Amino acid sequence: MTSEPFRSQLAALERRGRLRSLTPRAGRDFASNDYLGLAGDPIIGQAVADAVARGVPVGSGGSRLLRGNAPEHEGLEAEAADFFRTPAALFMANGFAANLALFSTLPQRGDLIVVDELIHASVHDGLRMSKAVAVFARHNDVQSFADLIAAWRLEGGKGRVWIAVETLYSMDGDLAPLSDLAALAAKHDAMLILDEAHGTGVFGPSGRGLSSGLDGLHNVVTLHTCGKAMGVEGALICGPRILVDYLINRARAFIFSTAPSPLMAVAASAALDRIKQAGDLRERLKTLMVDASENICAPLGLPAPRSQIVPIILGEDRRAMAAAAALQQAGFDVRGIRPPTVPPGTSRLRISLTLNVGRADIAALGETLRRVAA
């Protein structure tokens, strides 16, 4: 096998300022999704240690449909269904696998999936495997969703409509208009798939997410990832029992994957308990958002952040990466984000606010950002 095609493609990425590489953790954390600082939480760690002590195995030994289905998996799913006030939950290895399972399995041939244009990359991969037609609506534009549904019906579309959005967008930090989308879904007897990856733990009563106001609706499926504010690993698909059963029987990403470690199910269960009681942590995070507004956004002429994700759009790829390098050199772990993760011409610094930093860190970052910008 010749390596030339790979070498030339990597060289092209480097010329465009888009070559990726793995770098070690360093500096103050403005890059992770560990919003509540639970990744190193001693209570969660102790729950895992106790599970090891009582003999819970590290490995699952197989897929859930073979011998890999452990009591810890089922216990977590029952707890998650109760916490998120949904009929059923299904534990997956991560959010990518969960979105792959959802979109490649639930929408059927003859259905329509209307997706926000800025939705997670994992959804795009699920759509490529789907038998349904997929179209992309303008970001957070409910009228665009409505127009695409109307056009499909006018052209003879007769199947079910699926509307898919993130509740909190991971690169822009803005919130989806959930109540308007729920009304649109009700009007068209559509299913609503809500990716709560960045909302779970941070927003809603007891950290149940931005979709908590839609509790009890029969046409809502939510995805709560465990590797962000919950601080652990995995993902929970929550929704009607019939859809969860269908995923168990038809989702290849579930059927043919080795089950997550039972210890990670223990960790996720402990993390659910933590975010239920984490009102003080959420208040501290809100304080950091105010600090970011005053020390970062206002001096740069940016609007106040609506969430813990603060994008600073610089446009050109190399400019974003040079700014990130300067901040990293100054001791701040801020990463540059480039296409294809974000649209061309919108390369940016993605500042993530977490409880791994304090108010003084945000003030210092703001001062350094002003120097970098100048």
Side-chain angles (χ1 to χ4, degrees):
M1 182 187 75
T2 176
S3 60
E4 185 53 39
F6 306 108
R7 184 177 292 108
S8 61
Q9 290 182 54
L10 289 172
L13 288 173
E14 187 169 21
R15 287 193 299 273
R16 294 157 62 194
R18 296 186 184 178
L19 184 67
R20 294 181 171 97
S21 62
L22 297 174
T23 57
R25 299 180 183 185
R28 285 172 273 190
D29 177 16
F30 287 96
S32 81
N33 298 319
D34 183 24
Y35 302 124
L36 299 180
L38 294 180
D41 183 70
I43 297 175
I44 297 174
Q46 188 60 53
V48 175
D50 292 345
V52 171
R54 66 175 180 265
V56 176
V58 174
S60 63
S63 72
R64 292 281 299 277
L65 290 172
L66 294 177
R67 196 176 167 81
N69 187 41
E72 291 75 20
H73 297 131
E74 295 190 351
L76 168 62
E77 289 164 347
E79 183 179 356
D82 180 67
F83 177 62
F84 293 114
R85 301 185 181 181
T86 186
L90 185 65
F91 187 44
M92 301 283 295
N94 52 60
F96 197 103
N99 270 329
L100 202 66
L102 278 172
F103 289 92
S104 65
T105 307
L106 293 184
Q108 304 290 294
R109 191 183 304 277
D111 289 355
L112 174 72
I113 315 170
V114 189
V115 183
D116 190 287
E117 63 184 347
L118 296 187
I119 205 161
H120 278 130
S122 52
V123 173
H124 288 256
D125 285 299
L127 294 176
R128 292 188 186 99
M129 298 172 63
S130 176
K131 296 180 176 66
V133 172
V135 293
F136 292 88
R138 290 186 298 274
H139 177 54
N140 274 352
D141 186 337
V142 178
Q143 189 58 52
S144 178
F145 281 83
D147 291 345
L148 289 167
I149 295 169
W152 180 70
R153 291 293 189 201
L154 192 63
E155 293 169 1
K158 299 184 184 303
R160 181 181 293 277
V161 173
W162 301 75
I163 297 171
V165 300
E166 295 179 39
T167 61
L168 165 56
Y169 283 85
S170 58
M171 292 297 147
D172 290 78
D174 55 347
L175 313 181
L178 294 186
S179 58
D180 291 339
L181 288 167
L184 181 66
K187 178 180 177 181
H188 291 279
D189 192 26
M191 294 296 299
L192 193 56
I193 300 180
L194 304 177
D195 188 334
E196 282 272 30
H198 297 271
T200 304
V202 176
F203 290 93
S206 300
R208 295 205 314 273
L210 290 157
S211 62
S212 58
L214 306 179
D215 288 343
L217 294 183
H218 71 281
N219 65 329
V220 173
V221 175
T222 57
L223 172 59
H224 302 270
T225 56
C226 308
K228 296 180 173 64
M230 286 176 62
V232 291
E233 186 178 323
L236 292 154
I237 298 172
C238 298
R241 178 80 255 175
I242 187 68
L243 295 186
V244 169
D245 287 344
Y246 191 80
L247 288 168
I248 291 170
N249 281 273
R250 292 294 188 186
R252 295 174 64 84
F254 174 82
I255 296 168
F256 297 108
S257 290
T258 296
S261 166
L263 290 178
M264 194 48 61
V266 170
S269 181
L272 281 179
D273 290 338
R274 287 290 284 124
I275 65 171
K276 289 176 191 175
Q277 310 297 329
D280 59 326
L281 302 184
R282 286 185 281 276
E283 287 303 314
R284 283 173 53 196
L285 188 58
K286 287 179 183 176
T287 299
L288 297 188
M289 293 178 202
V290 174
D291 289 338
S293 178
E294 295 173 352
N295 291 279
I296 296 173
C297 297
L300 295 176
L302 302 174
R306 297 190 63 193
S307 71
Q308 72 277 18
I309 298 167
V310 184
I312 300 177
I313 298 176
L314 298 176
E316 199 271 329
D317 298 355
R318 290 189 180 279
R319 184 183 178 204
M321 300 312 293
L327 291 170
Q328 290 161 17
Q329 186 67 29
F332 302 98
D333 191 2
V334 175
R335 305 297 174 100
I337 308 295
R338 300 157 289 178
T341 304
V342 294
T346 70
S347 291
R348 66 196 65 187
L349 302 175
R350 178 189 185 268
I351 296 173
S352 178
L353 303 176
T354 78
L355 297 188
N356 297 319
V357 301
R359 304 182 70 179
D361 298 309
I362 291 176
L365 174 61
E367 182 179 346
T368 305
L369 265 170
R370 291 192 289 276
R371 291 203 304 270
V372 169

